Amino acid sequence: MANTTGEQFEFKAEVSKLLNIITHSLYTNREIFLRELISNASDALDKLRFEQSRGAEITAPELPLQISISIDEDAGTLTVADTGVGMTHDELMENLGSIGKSGSEDFLNKLSEAAAEAKAEGSADATSIIGRFGVGFYSVFMVADKVTVTTRSCQPGQHAYRWESDGAGTFTVEPVGDSEDAPERGARVTIHMREDARDFLNKFRLEQIIKTHSNFVAFDILLEGDKVNTTPALWREPKFEITPEQYSDFYKSQTMDTEDPLDVIHFSVDAPVQFTALAFIPKRSRDLYGLSQGDYGLDLYVRRVLITKDFKDLLPEYLGFLEGLVDTEDLPLNISRETLQENILVRKIATTVTRQTLSHLGTMAEKEPEKYADFWKEHGTVFKHGYADFGNREKFGPLLRFNSSHHEDKHGLTSLDGYIERMEEGQEAVYYIAGSSREAIALNPHTEMFRRKGLEVLYLYEPIDEFVLETLGAYKEKQLLAAEHVKPEDLDKFADVDEADKKSPELSDADRSTLDAMIGRVKEILGERVTDVRVSARLTSSPAVLVSPDGSISSHMQKIMRTLNKETDPPKKTLELNPDHPLLRNLLAVYKKDPQDAYLITAVEQLFESSLLMDGYLSDPHAMVERINSLLEKSSGWYLEVKGE
């Protein structure tokens, strides 16, 4: 039976302790009290709309469904009113007199400890405390000296009641006559602001708070009569009814980008978690100078109310180029970042968002290759980090793009599927080589035997590229293999297509014997700096090359790893010499005359250091430069003699 006169009640013990913690321990981000009140009002309106949909009789059915916020600076009050379901006397006692979620001592101890920890860290952030423990309405006491709630249930014939408290341990509930400005239906929360919270009576500040946290609430929010939430929750609309212009306008309003997005990803899921995602692929990378690494995530909404911005747990880092949001029905409004990170529903959402995005990119790559090429140019570097996502490897692999020897310039792109389609008959591996540029790779001696055989090689320009291909290992039963790990005899089954680099006649048997002896002399000169010296079958235009031992990582990868480990000494490799190169033929002639000739020593040192330089291991070029200058000085004299001057 409802009370007919005003009565005073004491809060239950746990509420008194809670209010003490909120009033005295929370200092920052107090603005969330408004988010909580608007969320409560929105819930009340949702419930009323449900009652209407099932044909229930309600009080004042002609009232619009809206939330009204008004300021009275003279009185120092802020009022948040809604035309929702309202509360009966018993509901008022239950909802605003106790903590329905938990009244245990353990609950309050944890709350007290959390507030103390936050205060010790100098933050005392209300978002964390309120969110973690689900006590949204009581957050109003962070800013209020006194709170008055006047409400009338939507059930026909119900009286209006006023609940009032200063948060000090008691509250009063009394009936309100119609002559006392009681709402026709719904609830009106009047906040008497504390002196240190009167900045919340500023209309501009309130508007910014609403736009940040509650901009997409389904009902009109009127601030001093002006509608604030003017941007519709576009993701809630059917996709076939949304125009490209609407998507573009929404994207620009949320990101401040001046260009249209490159593409839109919009989908809804009912199981295992009910949520809607609206994400955009920007036309340009926002990380122009590598300064935004780690700055990514989708905004998380619960029933149109913003819970947290840029929530990283909704996306893997390699999809961090996405801008947008996720809105779910399956999470509570009062959920903290700490709880989110541990929530299994969030992990399920992230898994679905990842798979849907990869499928969307796959469709784009197949049906709009030019658009996908634009995507790759801007976001490919970030996307490549997906090589570690083993669960989505089958979707990730086909989306990779690389330049290759098949293209005329560095702008061409091929997929692994495209490479496989062009493979020679009998070819069992996809070959790749890394370098700082297309020009540098073209001069790499390891590419020569592939050019001679007419075999395509992928060109890898970024350090991450080799990590990607080495981690994948194989693609559609084709091994992914670094070019320098391929043995010349493995390519013997392919016919030569380029004979242009063969400049010297075949060696005689006597010269071959002398060559073997000279190889021994080269080993003697280089000593322990190399593991071996041998004749090369891989070279056509270069005189020498360093080859890694079987089973080791590529030279480019070695350089990266040694840099990370701060190793300065070059790794020991095998030096291969091209016996058909004019320089080696000249050195052979020098060796025949005098195996101890100083020029032979100088030339061997130069060949070795040039090979080190090509591999990126020459840490001190001073001796090499001095040697080159000396050779130039002598050769210029010889040249003049030959010219007869």
Side-chain angles (χ1 to χ4, degrees):
M1 175 70 79
N3 294 315
T4 56
T5 60
E7 292 185 70
Q8 186 176 62
F9 303 90
E10 288 189 1
F11 283 115
K12 291 187 176 180
E14 69 272 12
V15 180
S16 296
K17 188 172 182 180
L18 165 69
L19 291 174
N20 182 64
I21 294 169
I22 289 176
T23 305
H24 297 100
S25 299
L26 303 180
Y27 305 109
T28 63
N29 205 19
R30 295 189 295 176
E31 67 185 35
I32 68 157
F33 82 90
L34 186 58
R35 182 195 76 176
E36 297 299 321
L37 293 182
I38 292 175
S39 296
N40 290 344
S42 178
D43 283 348
L45 290 165
D46 267 329
K47 291 174 182 176
L48 183 88
R49 190 157 55 183
F50 174 75
E51 292 298 319
Q52 289 177 314
S53 68
R54 71 186 188 92
E57 185 179 355
I58 62 171
T59 299
E62 73 285 353
L63 286 178
L65 304 183
Q66 64 185 27
I67 302 167
S68 302
I69 302 173
S70 56
I71 304 167
D72 188 334
E73 290 191 58
D74 294 334
T77 61
L78 177 70
T79 300
V80 179
D82 68 73
T83 53
V85 290
M87 288 178 279
T88 64
H89 174 273
D90 292 343
E91 289 169 339
L92 199 58
M93 293 290 296
E94 179 182 356
N95 294 334
L96 301 186
S98 63
I99 303 174
K101 177 180 176 181
S102 171
S104 69
E105 186 66 23
D106 180 61
F107 165 79
L108 272 303
N109 289 338
K110 288 181 179 178
L111 176 57
S112 181
E113 290 170 6
E117 289 173 7
K119 185 175 181 180
E121 294 171 0
S123 63
D125 191 337
T127 304
S128 173
I129 304 301
I130 300 301
R132 191 184 308 179
F133 296 99
V135 289
F137 170 78
Y138 298 108
S139 65
V140 73
F141 285 102
M142 293 188 294
V143 297
D145 279 332
K146 182 175 70 174
V147 179
T148 302
V149 179
T150 309
T151 182
R152 187 195 300 269
S153 171
C154 67
Q155 300 171 20
Q158 288 289 331
H159 295 288
Y161 292 90
R162 179 185 295 119
W163 178 99
E164 191 168 272
S165 176
D166 59 5
T170 62
F171 63 93
T172 61
V173 176
E174 60 182 340
V176 179
D178 292 338
S179 61
E180 298 182 62
D181 194 29
E184 292 184 77
R185 184 191 73 223
R188 183 172 64 244
V189 181
T190 301
I191 307 161
H192 299 261
M193 289 292 181
R194 287 163 34 175
E195 282 299 319
D196 64 355
R198 291 181 70 89
D199 56 316
F200 287 110
L201 298 176
N202 179 280
K203 182 179 179 181
F204 176 76
R205 181 167 188 197
L206 293 175
E207 183 176 350
Q208 293 306 113
I209 294 171
I210 294 168
K211 285 184 175 296
T212 298
H213 297 286
S214 309
N215 200 35
F216 301 111
V217 166
F219 306 97
D220 289 351
I221 302 175
L222 306 179
L223 176 59
E224 294 288 275
D226 298 324
K227 184 178 177 180
V228 179
N229 56 333
T230 54
T231 305
L234 195 66
W235 64 91
R236 292 275 186 157
E237 303 298 323
K239 286 197 297 183
F240 63 86
E241 294 181 2
I242 304 174
T243 66
E245 291 75 22
Q246 287 176 303
Y247 277 129
S248 181
D249 290 344
F250 183 86
Y251 166 76
K252 291 176 180 177
S253 72
Q254 297 304 300
T255 64
M256 304 305 160
D257 196 345
T258 57
E259 292 189 279
D260 294 338
L262 179 67
D263 210 0
V264 180
I265 303 173
H266 186 185
F267 62 91
S268 297
V269 175
D270 291 324
V273 186
Q274 185 180 6
F275 73 93
T276 299
L278 177 57
F280 300 90
I281 302 175
K283 192 168 288 185
R284 312 288 175 200
S285 171
R286 64 180 178 179
D287 190 16
L288 296 178
Y289 305 106
L291 301 177
S292 300
Q293 189 172 6
D295 180 18
Y296 68 93
L298 298 177
D299 296 343
L300 176 63
Y301 286 78
V302 174
R303 296 187 289 282
R304 293 187 176 91
V305 176
L306 179 65
I307 300 302
T308 183
K309 287 189 68 64
D310 298 330
F311 188 43
K312 293 181 180 180
D313 286 24
L314 290 175
L315 279 179
E317 187 173 1
Y318 73 95
L319 299 182
F321 52 83
L322 290 177
E323 301 275 4
L325 57 90
V326 164
D327 186 9
T328 180
E329 305 287 330
D330 291 343
L331 291 171
L333 278 170
N334 294 308
I335 186 168
S336 71
R337 182 176 289 271
E338 293 87 348
T339 306
L340 280 172
Q341 291 168 340
E342 300 169 358
N343 195 292
I344 190 171
L345 295 180
V346 171
R347 292 196 291 274
K348 289 180 178 178
I349 291 173
T351 297
T352 304
V353 169
T354 299
R355 289 177 179 170
Q356 289 279 352
T357 301
L358 293 176
S359 294
H360 184 92
L361 290 174
T363 301
M364 185 201 301
E366 178 184 355
K367 297 183 177 180
E368 300 177 280
E370 292 184 3
K371 179 188 283 189
Y372 189 79
D374 291 337
F375 157 78
W376 189 262
K377 177 183 176 183
E378 291 297 323
H379 306 294
T381 299
V382 172
F383 182 78
K384 290 173 189 174
H385 287 81
Y387 71 90
D389 185 357
F390 297 102
N392 289 299
R393 177 174 291 190
E394 290 187 3
K395 290 180 177 289
F396 174 79
L399 296 173
L400 292 170
R401 295 293 183 271
F402 300 99
N403 189 227
S404 84
S405 57
H406 172 74
H407 304 110
E408 295 183 358
D409 56 39
K410 65 180 181 181
H411 302 296
L413 290 175
T414 185
S415 64
L416 294 176
D417 288 295
Y419 180 105
I420 291 173
E421 288 176 5
R422 294 188 295 271
M423 286 174 63
E424 297 293 326
E425 185 177 352
Q427 184 178 340
E428 297 299 328
V430 174
Y431 305 119
Y432 62 85
I433 191 165
S436 58
S437 66
R438 187 176 175 90
E439 293 72 23
I441 290 175
L443 294 173
N444 190 317
H446 289 288
T447 63
E448 294 176 12
M449 66 177 179
F450 293 93
R451 282 200 298 271
R452 188 172 74 241
K453 299 293 185 180
L455 297 174
E456 183 176 356
V457 180
L458 298 178
Y459 290 170
L460 314 185
Y461 302 129
E462 297 180 341
I464 191 176
D465 291 343
E466 280 199 276
F467 285 101
V468 172
L469 295 187
E470 286 201 2
T471 302
L472 289 181
Y475 182 77
K476 293 188 175 179
E477 299 183 353
K478 300 293 184 182
Q479 186 180 3
L480 303 175
L481 191 59
E484 65 182 86
H485 290 159
V486 179
K487 297 177 181 179
E489 56 267 29
D490 294 338
L491 304 185
D492 285 345
K493 58 185 173 183
F494 303 109
D496 289 355
V497 297
D498 187 358
E499 302 284 345
D501 291 325
K502 291 192 174 182
K503 303 173 183 177
S504 302
E506 292 290 333
L507 288 169
S508 65
D509 291 342
D511 283 343
R512 288 193 178 279
S513 178
T514 305
L515 177 64
D516 291 339
M518 190 185 77
I519 293 292
R521 176 67 178 133
V522 174
K523 289 182 186 178
E524 182 182 314
I525 293 170
L526 296 178
E528 294 184 357
R529 287 177 287 174
V530 294
T531 58
D532 195 11
V533 180
R534 66 190 179 205
V535 171
S536 179
R538 74 180 69 238
L539 298 175
T540 53
S541 58
S542 298
V545 66
L546 286 168
V547 179
S548 299
D550 291 345
S552 66
I553 59 177
S554 70
S555 300
H556 196 70
M557 185 71 77
Q558 272 186 345
K559 186 171 63 174
I560 294 172
M561 299 305 295
R562 292 173 74 84
T563 300
L564 293 174
N565 295 328
K566 299 181 180 179
E567 298 178 33
T568 57
D569 294 332
K572 293 181 181 180
K573 297 186 178 184
T574 295
L575 180 67
E576 288 192 358
L577 300 176
N578 179 6
D580 293 324
H581 195 279
L583 175 56
L584 266 295
R585 292 296 176 95
N586 291 336
L587 290 181
L588 185 60
V590 171
Y591 178 81
K592 282 181 180 180
K593 292 183 178 181
D594 182 4
Q596 302 300 319
D597 193 297
Y599 180 80
L600 179 63
I601 298 173
T602 300
V604 168
E605 291 285 354
Q606 185 60 44
L607 280 172
F608 174 66
E609 291 197 356
S610 295
S611 298
L612 280 178
L613 181 64
M614 293 289 286
D615 268 9
Y617 293 120
L618 188 64
S619 58
D620 185 0
H622 294 88
M624 178 178 174
V625 171
E626 183 179 357
R627 187 185 309 112
I628 290 174
N629 289 337
S630 175
L631 287 171
L632 285 173
E633 178 185 347
K634 294 176 180 178
S635 63
S636 61
W638 299 332
Y639 179 75
L640 288 174
E641 288 180 13
V642 171
K643 294 289 286 186
E645 299 179 11

